Amino acid sequence: MFSSAAIQEIEDIRAKYPNARAALLPAIYVAQREFGWLPPEAYEAVADLLNVPKATVRGVATFYAMYKQKPMGRHLIQLCTNVSCMILGAERLVDLLKSAYGVEPGGVSPDGRFSLVIMECIGACGTAPAMLVNDDFHENLTEKNLQEILEKYK
Amino acid sequence: MITVTINDKEIKLEKAVTVLEAARSAGITIPTLCYHEQLERYGGCRLCLVEVEKMPRLQTACTLMVADGMVVRTETEQIADVRRGILEFLLINHPLDCPYCDKAGECTLQDLVEKYGPGKGRFKEKKRKVPESLQDPVIVRNMERCIMCTRCVRMCEGPQGASAIAVINRGGHSHIEPFSGGRFDCEYCGNCVSVCPVGAIMSRLHRHSYRPWQVKEQYETVCPYCGVGCTVITQVRDDVIKRVIPKLGSSVNNGMLCSRGRFGYEFVGDNDRLTTPLIRKNGVLAEATWEEAITLVAKKLSEIKIASGSEAIAGIASPRCTNEDNYVFQKFMRAVIGSNNIDTTARTGYAGAQSFIENIFGQGATANIISGLANSDTVMVIGGDPTTVNPILGLQIRACARRGGNVLTIGDFAGLSKFSPKKLLPGKYTETILLEAIVTALREKKGLSGSNGPLESKIKDISVTAADAAAKCGVPEQQLSAFVDLLAGAATYSLVIGKEIVQSTGGSYKLLLLAAINYLANGRIYMLTEKANEQGALDMGCAPDLLPGYRPVAFPEFAKKYGAQWHAEISEKPGLNLFAMIDAAENGSLKAMYVMGENAVCNIPNSGRVEKALKNLDFLVVQDIFLTETAKLADVVLPALAWAEKGGTFTNMERRIQLVRKSVQREGLEDWKIIAEIAKNMGYGMEYVSSEGVFHEIAKVSPLYRDLTYEDIGKGENIYPYKGEPLRDVKEDIQVDTASAVASAGKLYLQIERPLFHSGTLSTRAASLRNIYPQAVARISSATAKALSLTEGDVVNVRTKAGSLSLFVAIDKDGDSSAVAISNNFERKGAFRLADYALDQVTKAPCIDAVEISIEKVTA
Amino acid sequence: MMETVLLKNIENPNSADIAEYKKVGGYRSIGKALGMEPQKVIDEVKRAGLRGRGGAGFPVAMKWTFASADPKFPKYLLCNADEGEPGTFKDRPILEKNPHLLIEGMVISGHALKAEYGYIYLRGEYPAAKHILNAAIKQAYDNNLLGENILGKGITFHLAVHQGAGAYICGEETALIESLEGDKGQPRIKPPFPVNVGVFSKPTVVNNVETLSNLPYIIEVGGEAYAKIGTPDCPGPKIFCVSGHVEKPGVYELPMGTKLKDIIYTHCGGIRGGKKLKAVIPGGISTPVLPPEKIDCAMDFVNMPKNGSMLGSGAVIVMDETVCLVKVCYRALKFFEHESCGKCTPCREGTGWLRSILGRIENGEGADGDIEALLTISANMLGKTFCPLGDGAASVVQNFIKHFRPEFEEHIKAKKCAVSG
Ligand SMILES: Cc1cc2nc3c(=O)[nH]c(=O)nc-3n(C[C@H](O)[C@H](O)[C@H](O)COP(=O)(O)O)c2cc1C
Ligand code: SF4
Ligand code: FES
């Protein structure tokens, strides 16, 4: 179930649209934040709140890459490996994350600290390679500065 | 007029349609996969690409609308290549398991590949592998065969409106989930099965049991379950129904079915079917020959008639039997036995309510076309969830909502809740006041036109303000006025009335108020009806006061006229109705009863008492297809042929007469034939050669069906008003019963659950429906569960003044916290065992809304 | 260097603040525009010759005229801030540094269209932009630049941010609308076009961030003056975003029609480390790759197609001799496979098939006939998919092979990559 603050938040979002259905994407974001990922209860809570069929909520949620179908680590690393980042060494960073933190693409590090998601372009090609950690952009990554940056995320 | 040229053929069209439709109208086939005539345009499979002059790209025929002067080519070499390419894409992930797949032979993909190639695959990568799933009780899923046409999803979200399935994930990882699991609102209608073009979604019922080309016969007939009367096609092999499918284009259900209609046919071939007559000897039912049984029944009935008089014998006819069966039965009771003691369980609601409404608006007032609901701008629903009682009618209300119509409900109906209904939720037993307030407000808005004096005189002085209603029913004033505004503004209004209103205390007064609302909003009335031929049984005269065609038996000229036709003397004295029969059996004045195709014990409220009363009879004959709990009490049990084993007609709630066709051959006699045999044995000749012969007589005798033939009906001349004589249209003064019930705080009350997956006790004989809904439960709200420390699956004893049952607990989180809902479908566990009742003085329907109920946990 | 219009003031660390925006002349056009008849605003845009910057280059005034002429109300203005085309990062600086420019542009556009509601469909990958936009929208509301009776001119315009959730296809305007309505981002059948039946079934205009951000300037200087920038067919400034192996990657606001060669060598300082140029993708990954001999071409909607590619989003990806093009092609197809919405057969099945063949070749497991297979499979997709995403995927394969076939052949023959080993 949702916290009352979350319910209020969804109601506020709902008010920005002419119908409840349009609030579905933002409401799933709220659910994801509340539950940490999207377990079946999360779909059902959203479905009930917006009176949208459960299967529809699940169908919509699984369509989008940023809705998480599995439990996540404490910090989410979204590393771009699309062409601009790839030609500037993004793949080596993936290897480094594997060796330094034991985190595989799509997985969680054994200590639960990091989840790693390989991204398509994140719009930082001019400062490639780049990643998002939670909501923060980190650009011009190198094998050297990557670990320094991640130090900040405990 | 639009002119298009397709493959050099000029086609003229009245209105813009898609290129595909235009082509089809001219007999040109364009291959399709994602297109389906019942579904919204999609354009995903790309198989229907065609060349259109002046358009640079190929166009999908299924989405492109024709324009005047358009020139289209559908079979060029380029297009053949394109189709081969598309099919190759579809095949890369499709298993080549046609020899094993049940769909082979009716698989669109298989057919298209045969036509367009590719001859051999060049896909060297790994195919997607998805294991077959048998998680669902009625559907088998094989998702690696899925070609993502999404027809099933569009069906489920669109016409069916269940939205139980969706495409999960995206792109090449897409698949369809989850079907079963209740959790996701699956209604088990199987309409996804109908539209799947490949072998990805199929019925489990006939898995690996035959191949489509082995079906030698198929018959267009009528579903045996509810009063909608969907057109179905039975597909038969070796005298076994292998599959029931809906008929596309049927004016009743146009390709749709509910779970009962699609999966409920297995009762026909069930092993528990009665096969020989049974006669009670030394207290036990023993097998007997037909001759023994028929002679015995004739002898006993004759003896009782002589000893105690005709009126000591009564008959209960059947809303599940054909018109022909029912006609012959009532004729037998009237002409052979000599009494008007004939009735059906339609008496528990439909019969009285319909005649009440007809008395106000004239005969045929409730005979309205079901599909009209979808085109109404406003539909109001009260007294039951149409999506479970009459599912296909329910779909029309969903369609109305989808098209932007207003759906108004008084009460909360789960099957409509996703369609944003405007709900009014009056407190328990305050519906009457709410309806009075609506009548008051609507009358003030619309005024009285003067066209229906008797009705107006009843409502002109009703005066309940919105403030009163708010105070007494707990419905906020502004909600009420918004509701009334919608009613007042409706141009095409329809009212759907369920049984809960009819079976409530003061039901006839509520019906009057609803009639008034309908009158003021100028609408049409639909009355939900649970069984396939309730209307027909009434039309046939299975009523103690009305002869076939609703001619009152009490009018001497009618009794004489029918008597002349039947070569017998017909009593002018109305007979006992269903409830009076039980009373009479209980007090001993009724000596014998003949029950045809009705599980009377289960289907008449206060079943315990009914059981005792029937035991009290000297002689009970039960004619049925199963040894029901009623049959178990009988002195003679006569096995009948079931729906699908005989021909005849049903008349649905629209008063549409439809042909029931024999699909399978079985040894035995039709209900009417058994009765005719008994009549003969009693010295009355009934020389019908076939059910059609019976219908000839009906068409001669009943002014309602005058001059109709099976041929007319087959051709679709089957919609009320038929070509018969005009009917009686006597308006009498309107009487109402204004009794009311009062709720005590904190008390629980019995509520009858009318589940989607069952209909009477018949459906519990169908294995697949039993798999979906296996047993009776006591459904309580989470609040009640919490208050009584009950959890799902606990065993409880539920008790009322009438009786007690031990049941498993089911928890409905949105349930009404003053109600314990129990269905009346499972023998010996039916809600009617608990239902004590008083009769509405006018409709004579039992009021079963005020039964106090207590629950206690049974500790192991 | 010309005066910047779109990237004006972005060096200022507080450029997203309304006060800073106003200091450099911001919100001056809004009053002027709201004082004009809606049709006059459209006329001005027509004179400016503004074409959409989202990729297709559709004339803005024409789209607006359709929506404006539709009798249905309310009308909606949607800002396409999905910026998903790989290599593209031109809208991000506007969203993060110059949000008020976009808001001002949207209010003016909304007025022109008689639309009272606007949404910015922002890609989920731009969390910072979401906060910045929301703060800016709040400031605008607080200053009566959004909401009801804006600046006392009796005009209403409401604006909200709608965050996407990671689906490239939502950049396609009808998929965007589906997504905004709370559905999967799958493209809709056209017609009806969004200008008539768009979001919530109402007339809807979808314009790119950069497109809308041109509005204040057009109103300020007038359409005629604006049209003097760039080329006659494609006037105005354009943001080019350059990534890959150049000395100075980044965003450059230059006149439309600036030559690709000049962008790379003059503005971006040439190829990094003095290496040799091998290939350029000029307009985002969906646009056809060009070999070095084809870079002497004006970057606009008219000249690029003549040169065998497209302007696309103006996202220039520069690749030097160290890059394995089979691998780039493979990575691009992996992207398309991941982003295929799954609605139509050729794209859903074809992208994965192409990707797997390319993956094999790249891994040294290529076989004879693979190149033919790539060409026929992609040909079976081209022109047959529901939306341009599938066409993009197919044309990437066709163009990489067209220009760099020997490299593919070499991979298959040698069973390894000659560049990266
Ligand atoms: C697959 C696909 C992806 C697209 N992605 C974007 C995008 O990320 N941003 C954008 O502005 N337009 C994108 N477009 C173009 C839009 O469909 C649309 O043309 C544009 O938003 C119109 O705005 P404009 O006229 O201002 O360019 C995309 C188109 C396609 C077919
Ligand atoms: S049960 Fe009723 S709705 Fe369902 S198929 Fe049969 S007649 Fe139709
Ligand atoms: S039938 Fe037209 S695209 Fe599928």
Side-chain angles (χ1 to χ4, degrees):
Chain A
M1 276 318 287
F2 281 138
S3 64
S4 52
I7 291 174
Q8 188 54 50
E9 187 176 347
I10 293 175
E11 307 263 304
D12 292 347
I13 292 168
R14 157 85 190 75
K16 293 190 198 171
Y17 301 95
N19 63 43
R21 177 63 190 269
L24 187 53
L25 263 64
I28 297 172
Y29 268 122
V30 174
Q32 171 155 302
R33 198 191 58 216
E34 290 279 299
F35 289 84
W37 60 295
L38 293 172
E41 307 87 87
Y43 297 122
E44 287 174 23
V46 171
D48 283 351
L49 210 58
L50 297 179
N51 194 25
V52 173
K54 297 180 195 98
T56 307
V57 176
R58 183 159 148 69
V60 170
T62 56
F63 181 87
Y64 294 96
M66 296 179 82
Y67 295 136
K68 304 300 177 214
Q69 310 303 322
K70 290 186 292 194
M72 292 280 108
R74 283 199 299 289
H75 303 288
L76 173 60
I77 302 172
Q78 305 188 91
L79 180 76
C80 177
T81 66
N82 206 301
V83 173
S84 302
C85 286
M86 179 184 86
I87 63 176
L88 287 162
E91 289 171 329
R92 287 197 301 274
L93 302 178
V94 177
D95 294 339
L96 177 64
L97 290 171
K98 283 190 208 170
S99 59
Y101 303 97
V103 57
E104 295 281 332
V108 185
S109 62
D111 58 2
R113 182 170 161 205
F114 293 116
S115 284
L116 172 61
V117 173
I118 299 299
M119 297 296 277
E120 295 304 342
C121 182
I122 60 172
C125 329
T127 43
M131 66 176 175
L132 278 159
V133 181
N134 304 333
D135 278 1
D136 316 325
F137 266 108
H138 297 285
E139 303 168 49
N140 292 316
L141 299 174
T142 62
E143 278 156 291
K144 190 163 163 297
N145 66 15
L146 179 65
Q147 276 176 283
E148 281 167 29
I149 291 167
L150 290 179
E151 270 314 289
K152 283 185 289 185
Y153 299 91
K154 287 296 171 196
Chain B
M1 187 69 90
I2 301 167
T3 309
V4 290
T5 310
I6 305 183
N7 300 350
D8 300 321
K9 193 165 174 179
E10 221 179 71
I11 303 167
K12 297 213 180 296
L13 297 151
E14 292 292 340
K15 61 177 179 48
V17 295
T18 61
V19 170
L20 180 69
E21 286 157 345
R24 288 195 173 178
S25 74
I28 299 168
T29 26
I30 299 174
T32 55
L33 273 171
C34 68
Y35 168 84
H36 192 279
E37 60 187 273
Q38 286 174 284
L39 307 174
E40 274 184 21
R41 298 182 302 156
Y42 188 66
C45 76
R46 317 305 285 171
L47 216 62
C48 67
L49 286 168
V50 294
E51 291 172 20
V52 182
E53 270 181 22
K54 301 202 186 83
M55 288 189 153
R57 287 171 66 99
L58 297 176
Q59 300 288 322
T60 41
C62 70
T63 62
L64 182 70
M65 302 302 281
V66 293
D68 199 33
M70 198 178 251
V71 180
V72 181
R73 265 179 211 88
T74 74
E75 291 291 344
T76 64
E77 230 165 87
Q78 180 194 203
I79 287 171
D81 277 349
V82 168
R83 290 182 187 149
R84 193 172 311 117
I86 301 287
L87 289 166
E88 181 181 32
F89 283 133
L90 287 173
L91 289 177
I92 62 175
N93 276 314
H94 189 90
L96 299 174
D97 62 349
C98 306
Y100 174 80
C101 176
D102 279 342
K103 193 77 174 188
E106 57 177 10
C107 171
T108 319
L109 184 62
Q110 191 184 37
D111 296 348
L112 289 172
V113 171
E114 213 156 278
K115 177 151 184 218
Y116 293 100
K120 67 189 220 321
R122 53 170 176 157
F123 182 69
K124 299 194 209 88
E125 330 301 321
K126 256 201 244 115
K127 268 188 200 282
R128 173 184 68 193
K129 278 270 156 225
V130 192
E132 185 174 69
S133 160
L134 288 168
Q135 277 170 24
D136 192 295
V138 288
I139 289 168
V140 44
R141 257 185 298 161
N142 192 314
M143 276 300 139
E144 65 189 19
R145 297 187 190 136
C146 173
I147 52 158
M148 292 310 297
C149 65
T150 73
R151 276 160 44 159
C152 56
V153 176
R154 283 178 286 143
M155 169 52 81
C156 192
E157 289 177 350
Q160 181 61 26
S163 297
I165 55 175
V167 177
I168 305 299
N169 297 333
R170 74 174 179 223
H173 299 283
S174 316
H175 62 279
I176 299 183
E177 260 186 40
F179 297 92
S180 58
R183 181 175 192 144
F184 276 22
D185 316 311
C186 180
E187 297 181 337
Y188 300 91
C189 62
N191 290 320
C192 52
V193 175
S194 290
V195 295
C196 179
V198 296
I201 310 173
M202 285 186 287
S203 163
R204 254 183 99 160
L205 276 61
H206 53 80
R207 185 164 174 257
H208 299 328
S209 77
Y210 77 105
R211 288 317 177 90
W213 58 85
Q214 292 171 329
V215 167
K216 292 280 184 300
E217 308 115 73
Q218 53 178 30
Y219 301 92
E220 182 176 325
T221 184
V222 188
C223 170
Y225 283 110
C226 86
V228 171
C230 294
T231 317
V232 297
I233 292 168
T234 54
Q235 298 188 325
V236 177
R237 182 188 175 197
D238 300 336
D239 272 331
V240 174
I241 299 179
K242 285 295 175 188
R243 173 163 77 167
V244 167
I245 55 174
K247 188 184 172 208
L248 262 174
S250 146
S251 1
V252 182
N253 54 317
N254 189 19
M256 304 295 288
L257 277 184
C258 73
S259 59
R260 304 188 294 240
R262 186 185 301 269
F263 300 114
Y265 60 85
E266 292 159 305
F267 71 87
V268 174
D270 193 84
N271 286 336
D272 287 346
R273 281 287 299 279
L274 288 168
T275 50
T276 62
L278 306 172
I279 294 178
R280 189 170 299 276
K281 289 180 185 146
N282 305 322
V284 281
L285 286 170
E287 291 191 359
T289 65
W290 272 109
E291 208 188 314
E292 281 175 287
I294 286 174
T295 340
L296 179 65
V297 173
K299 181 168 151 271
K300 288 292 268 183
L301 290 178
S302 304
E303 283 170 12
I304 294 170
K305 183 176 162 184
I306 292 163
S308 311
S310 299
E311 275 155 34
I313 304 172
I316 297 180
S318 171
R320 289 236 189 270
C321 286
T322 61
N323 286 326
E324 292 74 4
D325 297 330
N326 282 304
Y327 172 80
V328 170
F329 189 38
Q330 63 81 34
K331 179 175 167 187
F332 172 78
M333 286 307 299
R334 293 189 158 114
V336 184
I337 301 294
S339 116
N340 283 311
N341 291 343
I342 173 84
D343 209 355
T344 66
T345 50
R347 192 64 47 205
T348 62
Y350 191 67
Q354 184 175 57
S355 61
F356 183 87
I357 297 289
E358 290 189 340
N359 185 39
I360 297 174
F361 295 119
Q363 200 140 24
T366 66
N368 292 304
I369 302 297
I370 295 170
S371 58
L373 282 165
N375 303 321
S376 300
D377 65 8
T378 306
V379 177
M380 175 168 132
V381 181
I382 185 167
D385 189 341
T387 68
T388 66
V389 178
N390 293 119
I392 298 301
L393 178 145
L395 300 189
Q396 297 290 333
I397 302 175
R398 290 176 177 175
C400 165
R402 252 202 323 279
R403 291 179 195 176
N406 297 307
V407 175
L408 313 177
T409 69
I410 296 184
D412 200 4
F413 307 115
L416 295 174
S417 67
K418 288 280 181 298
F419 296 83
S420 319
K422 318 277 179 301
K423 285 186 251 190
L424 296 184
L425 303 171
K428 203 162 183 69
Y429 305 133
T430 66
E431 253 159 6
T432 306
I433 300 166
L434 181 68
L435 292 174
E436 285 176 330
I438 295 174
V439 169
T440 309
L442 206 53
R443 188 191 58 217
E444 277 162 13
K445 271 186 188 287
K446 308 268 288 197
L448 292 173
S449 67
S451 62
N452 191 327
L455 179 60
E456 290 191 0
S457 73
K458 287 298 229 192
I459 62 168
K460 67 180 188 331
D461 300 323
I462 292 173
S463 173
V464 173
T465 65
D468 286 349
K472 291 179 184 150
C473 319
V475 170
E477 271 184 60
Q478 128 240 2
Q479 249 183 42
L480 178 65
S481 70
F483 198 92
V484 170
D485 286 347
L486 290 173
L487 285 175
T492 47
Y493 165 72
S494 297
L495 168 64
V496 177
I497 305 175
K499 225 171 175 179
E500 263 163 49
I501 283 293
V502 185
Q503 295 182 334
S504 68
T505 311
S508 52
Y509 183 47
K510 288 178 208 166
L511 284 174
L512 172 86
L513 296 169
L514 288 168
I517 293 170
N518 205 61
Y519 174 67
L520 292 164
N522 191 21
R524 289 177 289 205
I525 296 182
Y526 296 80
M527 269 186 353
L528 301 184
T529 133
E530 289 177 0
K531 301 212 174 133
N533 203 26
E534 279 190 67
Q535 183 66 56
L538 293 169
D539 285 0
M540 291 304 113
C542 292
D545 53 342
L546 297 170
L547 291 157
Y550 301 90
R551 298 304 200 217
V553 69
F555 287 25
E557 72 265 31
F558 290 134
K560 277 208 191 68
K561 194 168 155 197
Y562 282 76
Q565 280 166 317
W566 292 340
H567 310 293
E569 197 155 320
I570 303 301
S571 163
E572 287 160 26
K573 185 176 160 211
L576 301 172
N577 76 15
L578 191 67
F579 303 104
M581 287 177 196
I582 301 304
D583 294 345
E586 191 173 46
N587 69 28
S589 58
L590 195 69
K591 303 290 181 205
M593 236 171 149
Y594 195 139
V595 180
M596 173 183 82
E598 180 58 84
N599 194 349
V601 170
C602 200
N603 289 331
I604 303 174
N606 206 346
S607 301
R609 185 181 153 229
V610 176
E611 190 171 7
K612 265 197 231 126
L614 294 188
K615 278 187 187 156
N616 200 30
L617 293 164
D618 291 350
F619 189 59
L620 173 65
V621 184
V622 175
Q623 181 168 311
D624 209 315
I625 60 172
F626 287 104
L627 192 64
T628 62
E629 58 179 330
T630 309
K632 283 181 188 150
L633 306 175
D635 297 290
V636 178
V637 178
L638 301 168
L641 289 179
W643 164 87
E645 294 159 358
K646 61 182 185 185
T649 54
F650 280 169
T651 304
N652 78 352
M653 62 188 293
E654 305 167 287
R655 282 204 158 140
R656 187 191 296 267
I657 311 170
Q658 307 193 88
L659 293 174
V660 176
R661 292 193 177 85
K662 177 164 157 179
S663 306
V664 295
Q665 177 66 39
R666 186 187 178 100
E667 288 273 326
L669 302 172
E670 292 95 334
D671 285 279
W672 63 262
K673 188 109 180 221
I674 302 172
I675 289 161
E677 289 299 318
I678 293 169
K680 258 192 271 173
N681 250 272
M682 292 175 75
Y684 182 94
M686 282 194 180
E687 307 295 341
Y688 308 111
V689 287
S690 63
S691 65
E692 191 165 1
V694 177
F695 195 83
H696 277 314
E697 182 173 318
I698 297 172
K700 254 196 277 164
V701 169
S702 165
L704 189 59
Y705 287 38
R706 175 83 74 220
D707 291 342
L708 277 174
T709 63
Y710 274 13
E711 209 184 327
D712 297 337
I713 296 172
K715 279 196 300 222
E717 274 180 56
N718 56 351
I719 268 284
Y720 179 88
Y722 318 113
K723 51 191 185 187
E725 284 165 29
L727 284 158
R728 202 170 66 88
D729 200 9
V730 200
K731 277 188 199 133
E732 292 155 13
D733 189 28
I734 307 168
Q735 303 291 328
V736 292
D737 181 340
T738 54
S740 60
V742 183
S744 326
K747 286 263 158 49
L748 292 170
Y749 295 90
L750 175 65
Q751 190 187 342
I752 313 294
E753 178 187 302
R754 295 188 162 89
L756 174 55
F757 308 113
H758 285 297
S759 166
T761 51
L762 183 64
S763 60
T764 61
R765 307 279 180 174
S768 47
L769 296 178
R770 229 170 30 229
N771 285 343
I772 299 173
Y773 191 132
Q775 62 195 355
V777 292
R779 210 174 289 283
I780 55 177
S781 68
S782 350
T784 309
K786 203 165 157 217
L788 301 173
S789 319
L790 293 170
T791 51
E792 183 103 10
D794 280 351
V795 178
V796 287
N797 220 323
V798 289
R799 192 181 303 279
T800 68
K801 269 196 220 136
S804 74
L805 293 176
S806 102
L807 296 167
F808 289 103
V809 167
I811 296 173
D812 175 3
K813 76 177 162 42
D814 304 319
D816 170 356
S817 59
S818 67
V820 180
I822 302 170
S823 84
N824 193 50
N825 303 103
F826 294 89
E827 290 200 323
R828 311 211 69 83
K829 296 274 186 190
F832 279 5
R833 293 230 158 232
L834 305 171
D836 200 0
Y837 60 89
L839 291 182
D840 183 283
Q841 288 309 300
V842 177
T843 63
K844 301 288 187 272
C847 311
I848 47 178
D849 62 332
V851 179
E852 242 183 75
I853 189 166
S854 66
I855 304 195
E856 71 195 34
K857 189 164 167 174
V858 178
T859 33
Chain C
M1 187 116 174
M2 77 173 201
E3 167 203 14
T4 54
V5 171
L6 306 164
L7 301 178
K8 189 168 173 177
N9 204 29
I10 64 166
E11 304 306 325
N12 175 348
N14 296 322
S15 60
D17 188 77
I18 193 165
E20 298 298 311
Y21 179 64
K22 282 188 170 170
K23 262 190 221 159
V24 293
Y27 285 120
R28 253 194 317 223
S29 298
I30 197 171
K32 187 168 165 193
L34 297 193
M36 291 160 71
E37 278 298 308
Q39 186 55 47
K40 287 272 175 315
V41 180
I42 299 182
D43 292 344
E44 211 57 59
V45 173
K46 193 168 179 188
R47 263 193 290 279
L50 179 63
R51 298 174 68 151
R53 304 295 196 242
F58 194 83
V60 173
M62 201 195 289
K63 199 188 272 189
W64 288 11
T65 304
F66 291 139
S68 163
D70 192 291
K72 291 193 292 295
F73 281 93
K75 300 182 201 288
Y76 290 91
L77 171 64
L78 307 184
C79 168
N80 190 339
D82 198 49
E83 185 147 87
E85 178 67 27
T88 314
F89 50 104
K90 69 183 182 70
D91 294 338
R92 192 176 143 205
I94 298 179
L95 297 164
E96 290 183 358
K97 309 277 187 183
N98 233 343
H100 286 287
L101 176 69
L102 174 62
I103 294 170
E104 186 175 8
M106 286 191 77
V107 177
I108 295 169
S109 312
H111 172 56
L113 294 164
K114 291 166 276 179
E116 297 197 338
Y117 301 92
Y119 294 95
I120 299 172
Y121 187 97
L122 178 68
R123 65 188 313 223
E125 292 85 345
Y126 286 173
K130 180 184 168 193
H131 300 301
I132 294 165
L133 281 170
N134 277 332
I137 287 172
K138 181 164 187 308
Q139 283 185 326
Y141 268 102
D142 291 346
N143 285 274
N144 190 216
L145 294 160
L146 279 174
E148 262 140 56
N149 194 12
I150 294 172
L151 299 177
K153 308 244 181 202
I155 283 154
T156 298
F157 190 73
H158 291 283
L159 183 60
V161 176
H162 184 93
Q163 197 182 3
Y168 164 67
I169 187 62
C170 291
E172 193 281 333
E173 57 183 4
T174 60
L176 182 150
I177 288 170
E178 287 281 303
S179 182
L180 180 56
E181 288 185 0
D183 219 322
K184 293 177 193 187
Q186 291 188 314
R188 287 180 179 173
I189 295 167
K190 291 191 267 194
F193 292 96
V195 287
N196 303 116
V197 184
V199 74
F200 311 122
S201 306
K202 292 297 191 300
T204 300
V205 161
V206 184
N207 274 135
N208 170 259
V209 173
E210 185 187 349
T211 312
L212 293 167
S213 300
N214 274 285
L215 264 297
Y217 188 68
I218 292 174
I219 294 300
E220 185 185 330
V221 302
E224 228 158 283
Y226 175 92
K228 297 218 170 75
I229 308 171
T231 55
D233 290 329
C234 304
K238 171 80 193 95
I239 305 178
F240 296 101
C241 43
V242 189
S243 63
H245 296 139
V246 288
E247 285 292 351
K248 292 185 289 173
V251 284
Y252 294 87
E253 182 181 334
L254 302 168
M256 260 300 183
T258 304
K259 287 204 163 165
L260 180 53
K261 184 180 76 182
D262 295 335
I263 295 174
I264 297 173
Y265 287 98
T266 313
H267 299 283
C268 296
I271 307 303
R272 205 161 74 167
K275 291 234 166 47
K276 237 172 78 196
L277 176 65
K278 186 168 181 184
V280 184
I281 297 174
I285 222 166
S286 311
T287 58
V289 62
L290 295 174
E293 37 317 344
K294 300 209 112 191
I295 64 168
D296 190 11
C297 175
M299 289 280 276
D300 63 34
F301 294 114
V302 177
N303 286 297
M304 284 307 279
K306 290 187 193 150
N307 189 42
S309 189
M310 283 184 302
L311 175 62
S313 59
V316 182
I317 306 174
V318 180
M319 291 168 274
D320 71 13
E321 57 198 312
T322 63
V323 172
C324 167
L325 292 178
V326 176
K327 190 167 174 181
V328 171
C329 186
Y330 163 69
R331 183 62 186 82
L333 264 291
K334 213 169 142 177
F335 163 78
F336 287 114
E337 180 190 24
H338 186 256
E339 300 301 337
S340 170
C341 83
K343 177 163 185 166
C344 75
T345 307
C347 175
R348 181 185 65 244
E349 306 294 339
T351 49
W353 193 0
L354 292 172
R355 186 268 308 145
S356 58
I357 297 174
L358 287 162
R360 266 199 296 107
I361 300 176
E362 168 64 12
N363 279 332
E365 293 158 22
D368 277 353
D370 277 351
I371 294 181
E372 273 324 298
L374 289 171
L375 288 173
T376 51
I377 295 165
S378 51
N380 284 346
M381 295 167 68
L382 258 187
K384 285 116 202 161
T385 56
F386 192 96
C387 88
L389 187 147
D391 281 336
S395 97
V396 164
V397 171
Q398 299 241 326
N399 283 288
F400 268 83
I401 296 178
K402 178 171 153 201
H403 295 299
F404 305 100
R405 187 168 181 137
E407 194 165 336
F408 284 78
E409 285 167 346
E410 189 52 36
H411 265 79
I412 295 172
K413 211 158 61 208
K415 306 263 178 224
K416 64 173 198 204
C417 176
V419 186
S420 54

